[in-house]
Amino acid sequence: MEDSAASSACHGVRVVSRRLVRPSPSPTSLEPETVHLTPWDLQMLTIDHIQKGVLLPKPPAAAGDVVEHLASSFARALARFHPFAGRLAVDDSGGSVTVSLRCTGDGAEFVHAVAPGVTAADVADHLYVPRVVWSFFLLDGLVGADAAGSRRPVLAAQVTELADGGVFVAMSLNHGVADGATFWHLFNTWSEISRSSTGAAGEHESNSLPPAVFERWFPDGCPVPVPLPFGNLEHIVRRFHGPPVEECFLVFSAESVMNLKARCNAADTAGGVSSLQSVLAHVWRAVTRARRLPPHQETSYTVLVGCRGRVDRVPDAYAGNAVVRCTATTTAGEVLGNGIGWAASLLRRAIASLDEAALVGSVASWHGKPKFAYLAGWWHPAVMVTGNSPRFDVFGNDFGWGRPVAVRSGGANKVDGRATVYEGIDGGGSMGMEVCLAPEVLARLVADDEFMSAVTTPKSMRRKG
């Protein structure tokens, strides 16, 4: 590990130290040496990094010892995900561009920071998420392509000590190399190693999670590596500076989710509306009301749908991007006039249309006319989009002194209409959700009695003791 002390303040957060963490122990052989990016990966190079983290209770040990322990366990987790210690390489010969993840072992960034004016209650006990939380995350303001051909890491972690002893553990991962499922697989691996390790070099550390699968899936007929028909990657980068937003964190109890699902399936004669689709339909209708959209205004809901389990050759432990966007579109009048079950059914049918043939067909032809994910051009004040999943293990991330008391995300990809879903803190079918909207719209949403009747605020859901 390389350590260079630094000190800078940002929104009350001060960096104590910054270092590069390399995989430990070093892999005896770097297999694979190069990971060629698939169309699923490449289309994500144009958006911000994945930024997620958990708020942990006060540890029993001294802060310095805890930070060193977290850095050490992070290095051992990185040994199992060694490609993420590499760098994005660009080959622009021959009139096209190819992008690959070179497994150089250069390391991931690791920062120790303090927030002397911020307590755990400031983070977890308010409906509105304080902007200081964004300062708990690294690689902010960058899109994936910014790391291509540079020395920038694709992975970074920040451990922030709070004023009352709480610890916020955050990770940022280049979306061009992996999706949310891989992000949480790595995060779960880190916490498991931290929780179970007993000695130097991780002797007797737990290894219950499946090994990551780094072999990428390419459809038949897709060239490897995939050539992009541009002179350089700047051609695909579009910086987005949208209107100001605010965000809140909502909790839907297991009982509330069950009630919403029952209402939706009672109205959907085909049945089969999921818990998540029911919650999203409830949110879609309430946000449409809060936006005061005219009845003829087109509105859409985009959901990121995982391909693991939908495409035969993509295993559960696939360590790359395996998500596609699925969109349901209608008018504001139909969303509000036809009821929650109708909106949920619209989402269900859109997602059900993504069978294996459709998924393989769309990615097989991507290299001929590549399209990228953008905030610029996507954003409109009548759209909603949801990523992440309530199936990801968030609250199992006990690093050795207790389960998380909250989950939050950074400023990446925060636009009006973004709703990020998580498992609920109490499990058992509950869900958490960060909702990001224009300030005046969010104010109307949280004042909507019909909507909030299904919501429990984080403060009243917080674990005691």
Side-chain angles (χ1 to χ4, degrees), residues 204-460:
H204 306 308
E205 68 187 28
S206 179
N207 191 16
S208 68
L209 295 169
V213 177
F214 291 104
E215 181 182 358
R216 290 300 204 266
W217 172 77
F218 290 87
D220 294 338
C222 181
V224 182
V226 178
L228 302 177
F230 315 119
N232 58 69
L233 287 184
E234 281 300 314
H235 180 86
I236 66 172
V237 175
R238 301 175 190 170
R239 308 292 174 182
F240 179 70
H241 303 286
V245 295
E246 290 184 335
E247 59 185 314
C248 68
F249 196 95
L250 309 171
V251 175
F252 296 88
S253 69
E255 181 181 7
S256 179
V257 172
M258 184 173 59
N259 289 339
L260 290 172
K261 183 178 179 179
R263 287 172 55 194
C264 289
N265 280 298
D268 184 346
T269 55
V273 172
S274 71
S275 296
L276 178 58
Q277 291 159 13
S278 303
V279 171
L280 298 187
H282 183 63
V283 172
W284 193 7
R285 298 184 75 242
V287 170
T288 301
R289 284 196 302 270
R291 283 172 163 167
R292 297 178 176 172
L293 301 177
H296 63 272
Q297 171 70 60
E298 183 177 273
T299 178
S300 64
Y301 208 126
T302 296
V303 183
L304 297 183
V305 178
C307 299
R308 296 168 181 83
R310 286 183 167 87
V311 175
D312 184 56
R313 290 166 54 197
V314 180
D316 288 344
Y318 183 84
N321 280 288
V323 293
V324 296
R325 294 181 296 279
C326 174
T327 301
T329 302
T330 184
T331 64
E334 288 176 316
V335 167
L336 296 179
N338 289 311
I340 185 175
W342 186 90
S345 179
L346 195 66
L347 290 166
R348 176 186 59 77
R349 292 196 302 271
I351 294 170
S353 69
L354 295 177
D355 59 12
E356 183 171 16
L359 293 172
V360 172
S362 64
V363 75
S365 59
W366 186 90
H367 66 278
K369 193 176 181 180
K371 295 181 180 179
F372 298 87
Y374 290 110
L375 297 180
W378 166 84
W379 179 83
H380 185 278
V383 302
M384 292 290 295
V385 62
T386 286
N388 214 53
S389 170
R391 296 181 180 178
F392 296 155
D393 180 8
V394 172
F395 290 99
N397 285 299
D398 179 350
F399 281 78
W401 61 90
R403 287 166 54 87
V405 297
V407 58
R408 295 293 185 268
S409 65
N413 303 309
K414 289 290 174 66
V415 295
D416 180 8
R418 179 83 181 190
T420 303
V421 67
Y422 304 92
E423 72 166 338
I425 189 170
D426 286 343
S430 62
M431 294 186 198
M433 180 180 287
E434 283 176 331
V435 178
C436 191
L437 293 168
E440 68 279 6
V441 175
L442 185 57
R444 288 194 288 267
L445 178 72
V446 299
D448 183 336
D449 290 339
E450 179 183 346
F451 174 70
M452 294 298 289
S453 65
V455 172
T456 306
T457 60
K459 186 173 183 177
S460 60

Side-chain angles (χ1 to χ4, degrees), residues 25-41:
S26 299
T28 55
S29 64
L30 290 178
E31 292 287 348
E33 295 181 357
T34 299
V35 176
H36 294 301
L37 301 187
T38 72
W40 283 338
D41 297 319

Side-chain angles (χ1 to χ4, degrees), residues 113-128:
V114 294
V118 183
T119 67
D122 293 330
V123 175
D125 285 2
H126 298 281
L127 184 61
Y128 279 72

